[in-house]
């Protein structure tokens, strides 16, 4: 196990969270922020500051992103467009045999995929026999890695029709950048809990990663490939490496 991976403590909210993208509630002001994101391959500091904070209550897991961007750009407006081709921030939440991918741009347009490792989608698994996870009838993609990297576990199914139940998301653009606020109801994470309590118990640990992809440099020129910045260095230009995700420990204490 890599010793350089981030560990983060996620505290309970200290009051209601209104998902409006502004991150102005007392809970967000008190929540610990991540270290600045780093280059996904090298681990070198990113040239635009990006951080995330997490909170939770009995209903939801919350994410609050701050993304420095002197000239905020967003172009894609159709849900489940290839948001990774825009400037975006992303969330990955992993279970043992599946993970959830979420992406959002500054226009509040989102993209979602529920990924299941092919070796796990077998008779007797919690994913087998469920219509929403039937590759014969659902829109899917198959992935073994990204950017020339092939994951040792091989291929996984990506279910493109799957939508997180009850998801709330909002963006606020305020120079010099933008902020993102997410609320993910715990019930939608049941397929990744692997028998763990929902909401989590004090001390439970989940593997969660957050990232950002920047399509333009400081002068507005298109980057090929885009700059990829993550909470942890992945060592490859590939966000889909669950063993590189942050260890998020849930605390029963209220934030602050």
């Amino acid at each position: 196990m890599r010793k350089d991976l981030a560990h983060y403590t996620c505290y309970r909210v200290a009051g209601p969270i209104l998902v409006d993208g502004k991150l102005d509630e007392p809970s967000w002001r008190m929540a610990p922020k991540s270290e600045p994101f780093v280059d996904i391959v090298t681990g070198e500091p990113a040239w635009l500051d990006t951080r995330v904070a997490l909170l939770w209550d009995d209903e939801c897991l919350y994410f609050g992103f701050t993304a420095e961007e002197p000239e905020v750009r967003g172009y894609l407006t159709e849900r489940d467009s290839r948001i990774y081709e825009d400037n975006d921030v992303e969330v990955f939440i992993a279970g043992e045999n599946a993970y959830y991918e979420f992406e959002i741009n500054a226009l509040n347009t989102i993209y979602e995929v529920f990924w299941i490792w092919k070796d796990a989608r077998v008779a007797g698994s919690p994913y087998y026999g469920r219509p929403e996870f039937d590759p014969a009838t659902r829109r899917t993609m198959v992935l073994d890695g990204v950017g020339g990297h092939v994951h040792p576990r091989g291929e996984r199914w990506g279910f493109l029709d799957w939508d997180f139940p009850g998801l709330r998301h909002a963006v606020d653009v305020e120079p010099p950048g933008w902020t993102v606020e997410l609320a993910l109801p715990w019930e939608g994470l049941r397929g990744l809990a692997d028998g763990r309590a929902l909401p989590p118990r004090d001390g439970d640990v989940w593997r969660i990663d957050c990232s950002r992809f920047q399509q333009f440099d400081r002068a507005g020129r298109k980057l090929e490939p885009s700059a990829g910045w993550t909470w942890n260095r992945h060592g490859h230009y590939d966000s889909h490496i669950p063993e590189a995700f942050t260890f998020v420990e849930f605390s029963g204490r209220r934030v602050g």
Side-chain angles (χ1 to χ4, degrees):
M1 182 182 299
R2 280 176 44 187
K3 295 182 179 179
D4 62 331
L5 296 178
H7 288 68
Y8 181 88
T9 301
C10 180
Y11 295 100
R12 288 186 66 100
V13 300
I17 297 290
L18 173 64
V19 180
D20 58 4
K22 295 183 182 298
L23 305 182
D24 54 1
E25 289 89 354
S27 292
W28 285 126
R29 291 198 292 269
M30 294 186 288
K33 308 299 188 293
S34 71
E35 292 297 314
F37 289 6
V38 298
D39 185 274
I40 189 171
V41 179
T42 67
E44 293 296 313
W47 37 270
L48 290 175
D49 189 79
T50 314
R51 301 172 194 249
V52 69
L54 280 68
L55 293 164
W56 72 281
D57 61 20
D58 289 342
E59 302 300 325
C60 293
L61 172 62
Y62 301 94
F63 291 80
F65 286 87
T66 58
E68 178 193 8
E69 190 171 347
E71 186 175 346
V72 177
R73 288 181 170 88
Y75 301 100
L76 299 172
T77 59
E78 184 178 349
R79 184 187 173 104
D80 288 330
S81 302
R82 295 177 176 178
I83 300 301
Y84 50 84
E85 295 179 355
D86 226 340
N87 293 348
D88 77 347
V89 296
E90 305 182 359
V91 171
F92 287 76
I93 304 175
E96 182 179 356
N97 293 309
Y99 60 94
Y100 170 66
E101 176 184 6
F102 172 90
E103 303 179 3
I104 189 168
N105 68 6
L107 298 176
N108 200 29
T109 312
I110 70 168
Y111 167 90
E112 299 177 276
V113 189
F114 194 94
W115 296 93
I116 301 173
W117 296 95
K118 280 191 171 182
D119 61 13
R121 195 188 163 276
V122 296
S125 86
Y127 313 110
Y128 192 81
R130 294 174 57 178
E132 67 267 38
F133 298 136
D134 181 0
T137 61
R138 299 294 180 178
R139 286 191 311 128
T140 61
M141 60 191 298
V142 174
L143 186 72
D144 63 5
V146 176
H149 170 250
V150 176
H151 194 282
R153 194 167 177 178
E155 292 184 340
R156 67 224 84 166
W157 293 105
F159 291 88
L160 300 167
D161 293 327
W162 194 85
D163 293 335
F164 199 108
L167 170 71
R168 288 174 284 151
H169 54 91
V171 170
D172 185 60
V173 177
E174 189 72 34
W178 49 299
T179 53
V180 175
E181 195 167 16
L182 310 175
L184 280 66
W186 289 114
E187 188 58 34
L189 290 167
R190 192 161 299 282
L192 302 174
D194 300 321
R196 291 172 291 186
L198 292 175
R201 297 189 179 97
D202 183 75
D204 282 358
V205 176
W206 285 59
R207 302 299 296 275
I208 298 174
D209 200 40
C210 298
S211 53
R212 175 182 179 181
F213 283 84
Q214 182 73 14
Q215 302 293 334
F216 305 93
D217 67 13
R218 290 183 181 274
R221 294 172 298 222
K222 186 74 168 68
L223 295 168
E224 292 292 350
S226 57
W229 303 321
T230 45
W231 200 339
N232 294 296
R233 178 186 64 85
H234 285 209
H236 303 277
Y237 191 79
D238 186 353
S239 301
H240 298 249
I241 307 178
E243 57 269 27
F245 292 3
T246 293
F247 293 89
V248 174
E249 180 175 348
F250 290 90
S251 170
R253 294 174 53 196
R254 293 190 182 278
V255 67

